[in-house]
Amino acid sequence: MTHNTSKLCVLLSAGVSAGFAQAAESGFIAGSTATLQARNYYFSRDYSDIVGPNKQSKAEEWAQGFILNFKSGYTPGPVGFGLDAIGTLGIKLDSSPDRVNTGLLPVQDDGEAADEYSRLGVAGKMRFSRTELKAGELQPNLPVLVFSDIRLLPPSYQGASITSNEIAGLTLQGGHLTSTSLRNEAGDDKMQAMLGHLPQRQASSDAFNYAGADYAFNSNRTTASAWYAQLEDIYDQRFFGLKHSEPVGDWVLGANVGYFDSSEDGRKLIGDIDNQAFFSLLSAKRGGHTFFVGYQAMFGDSSFPRVFANVSPLGNEVPTFEFAFADERSWQARYDYDFAALGIPGLVASTRYITGDNVDTGQGFEGKDRERDLDISYAVQSGTLKGLGVRVRNVTARSNYRTDIDENRLILSYTWTLF
C-alpha cells in the first residue's frame, strides 16, 4: 500500500469512526451514507497579450484528487443529532514552477507545487421538526456564496448555519462563517474579497454573515428569493431573484432574473464599494435542445464583489471571464443538447458565446471582452463502469484590457457508493 493510499484510508476511517462514535442509535447508523470520488484533473491555460505584473505565459498542471463524503442519519427523538464529515486528498502528477497557479495545487514558498495536500473536516448537526442546525465544516451553496467546486477539490468554510422548512414552500437560511479552506489549500484562513476577477489581498475578514429566504409556489414552477450577506468590514450585499419555468406545448420556457446591490461595510478595508448588478437568463427547452439568451449589466463605480475565490450566480459569469467589471454590459447566447433524446443518456454538449463592452477601465478607453466555451461530458449510466464520468472543456477568451486566455480542461471522475 502506498503512502498516499494509506493516507486516504486514514481519512476514511477517521471520518466514519468519528461519526459512529457519537451515537449507536439505529437512526444515526441506518440513515448514514458515504461516497468516495476519485477525480483526475488536467488544467491548462495559455496567456497572451498579458496585462498586469504577472508575466507567466502558461498555467498547466495535472493532479489526482479523492473526496470522501460521510453523512450520518439522526438519533431518534424530538431532537435528533448527527455528524457529517468530508475528507480530501490532492496528489501532484505533473507541475513545474513556471506552470503553477492553476488552482489545482498549493504553491510553496520555493515556487514549487506541493506534492500532496489533505484535509479532514467534521460538522455536528441537530434537527428539530424541519429545522436543521450545523456547526463545523460547511459547504454552503447560496446566491450570496455559491459553492464553487470547479477545480480538483472543493472549498469549505468553518462556522455555523441554520436551515428551516417549517412553512410549506418556504426555506429560511442563516449563518455565520469565520474562516475558509480554499480549493487548493489544506489549512484554514480568513476570507478575502474579489472585485471583478481581481483578488483584494490587502485585507481579510473573519466573519461572513448571511440570511435569506426562498419561496417556491405555483406548483414549484416559480421561486422568489431575498438574501442579505456581509463580509464584515469589507462589503455588504442584498440579492433579489426570481426563477420560473412554464410548459408551453412541447416547449418548457424558463427565466432566471436577479439583482444585487453591494456597498462597503464597517471599516471599509478595501475602500468604497458601489455596485448594482442585474442579470437575466431566458431559456427554451424542447426535447434534447435547450436555447438560452442572457443579458447582464453592472452599474455604479465598482466591479461586482464576492468572496475569494468563489463564483457567483450572475447569468453571464463563467469559470474563465466574469463579465462583472464596473459598468460592463454583456450578452450571452448558449445552446445545450442532451443526447438522451437520441438514445445516448449521459452524453451532454454545451456551447456558448458571451460578449461584453462599456467597461470602465479607468485608463481612458472602453473595455471589451468576449468568450467562447465548448463543454462535452459523459456519465456512464449502467454496468460495471457506472459512476465513471468524463468532461472536456475548451475556452477562448479575449479582452482589450485584461490578459487573453486559451484554456483546456480534461476531468475524469469515478464515484463509489460505500454505503
Side-chain angles (χ1 to χ4, degrees), residues 14-31:
V16 175
S17 298
F20 286 167
Q22 294 296 310
E25 301 284 356
S26 59
F28 182 95
I29 297 173

Side-chain angles (χ1 to χ4, degrees), residues 355-374:
T355 180
D357 58 18
N358 200 54
V359 176
D360 180 3
T361 63
Q363 302 176 52
F365 65 92
E366 175 190 358
K368 297 181 180 182
D369 311 289
R370 69 181 189 275
E371 178 172 333
R372 188 271 305 151
D373 301 342
L374 175 63

Side-chain angles (χ1 to χ4, degrees), residues 232-401:
E232 193 171 280
D233 289 325
I234 295 180
Y235 75 83
D236 62 22
Q237 191 171 71
R238 291 144 293 281
F239 170 74
F240 303 95
L242 183 68
K243 294 181 181 180
H244 179 71
S245 64
E246 185 69 33
V248 180
D250 294 335
W251 293 82
V252 177
L253 305 182
N256 180 11
V257 180
Y259 175 78
F260 286 91
D261 178 38
S262 307
S263 57
E264 68 277 1
D265 180 72
R267 293 186 291 156
K268 303 190 290 187
L269 295 181
I270 64 172
D272 293 334
I273 296 175
D274 172 30
N275 176 268
Q276 297 80 46
F278 168 81
F279 69 88
S280 60
L281 188 62
L282 308 179
S283 63
K285 184 179 186 302
R286 184 177 187 273
H289 307 275
T290 307
F291 304 90
F292 298 85
V293 61
Y295 175 72
Q296 183 171 294
M298 300 292 124
F299 303 94
D301 297 327
S302 306
S303 301
F304 181 79
R306 88 284 304 280
V307 174
F308 176 80
N310 269 12
V311 296
S312 80
L314 293 172
N316 286 0
E317 178 166 326
V318 288
T320 306
F321 279 2
E322 304 80 9
F323 299 91
F325 270 76
D327 287 335
E328 185 159 15
R329 309 289 190 267
S330 59
W331 287 92
Q332 174 182 178
R334 173 177 166 179
Y335 171 68
D336 294 357
Y337 187 74
D338 186 344
F339 285 83
L342 294 179
I344 313 175
L347 179 61
V348 178
S350 174
T351 184
R352 61 187 160 196
Y353 181 80
I354 306 175
T355 180
D357 58 18
N358 200 54
V359 176
D360 180 3
T361 63
Q363 302 176 52
F365 65 92
E366 175 190 358
K368 297 181 180 182
D369 311 289
R370 69 181 189 275
E371 178 172 333
R372 188 271 305 151
D373 301 342
L374 175 63
D375 290 89
I376 302 173
S377 62
Y378 179 66
V380 178
Q381 302 294 295
S382 60
T384 306
L385 295 179
K386 183 179 181 180
L388 175 66
V390 58
R391 181 181 176 188
V392 178
R393 176 176 171 81
N394 174 263
V395 174
T396 298
R398 297 290 183 265
S399 173
N400 69 341
Y401 68 96

Side-chain angles (χ1 to χ4, degrees), residues 87-235:
T88 59
L89 172 64
I91 303 168
K92 178 175 70 176
L93 299 178
D94 180 66
S95 179
S96 71
D98 61 335
R99 296 186 281 110
V100 294
N101 294 315
T102 64
L104 299 185
L105 298 164
V107 182
Q108 304 173 136
D109 293 339
D110 61 2
E112 295 271 1
D115 290 336
E116 63 177 60
Y117 63 112
S118 60
R119 179 179 180 84
L120 174 63
V122 178
K125 57 186 180 182
M126 180 178 70
R127 184 180 66 187
F128 174 75
S129 184
R130 300 183 66 185
T131 297
E132 181 181 62
L133 174 67
K134 289 186 176 183
E137 193 88 350
L138 305 175
Q139 293 182 320
N141 190 15
L142 318 165
V144 290
L145 194 69
V146 175
F147 182 56
S148 53
D149 187 12
I150 57 175
R151 290 295 197 276
L152 182 70
L153 301 176
S156 60
Y157 294 85
Q158 295 72 49
S161 69
I162 186 169
T163 303
S164 178
N165 294 284
E166 300 293 342
I167 300 173
L170 179 64
T171 300
L172 301 175
Q173 297 188 63
H176 172 72
L177 309 176
T178 58
S179 59
T180 182
S181 176
L182 297 175
R183 60 198 180 197
N184 63 333
E185 298 288 347
D188 302 345
D189 207 347
K190 291 183 178 181
M191 292 164 283
Q192 296 177 330
M194 293 175 66
L195 290 177
H197 78 290
L198 299 175
Q200 305 297 303
R201 301 189 185 280
Q202 70 271 32
S204 57
S205 174
D206 60 3
F208 181 84
N209 303 302
Y210 67 88
D214 299 306
Y215 182 60
F217 57 98
N218 189 24
S219 300
N220 289 327
R221 295 201 306 270
T222 307
T223 300
S225 302
W227 286 80
Y228 172 80
Q230 173 201 38
L231 185 58
E232 193 171 280
D233 289 325
I234 295 180
Y235 75 83

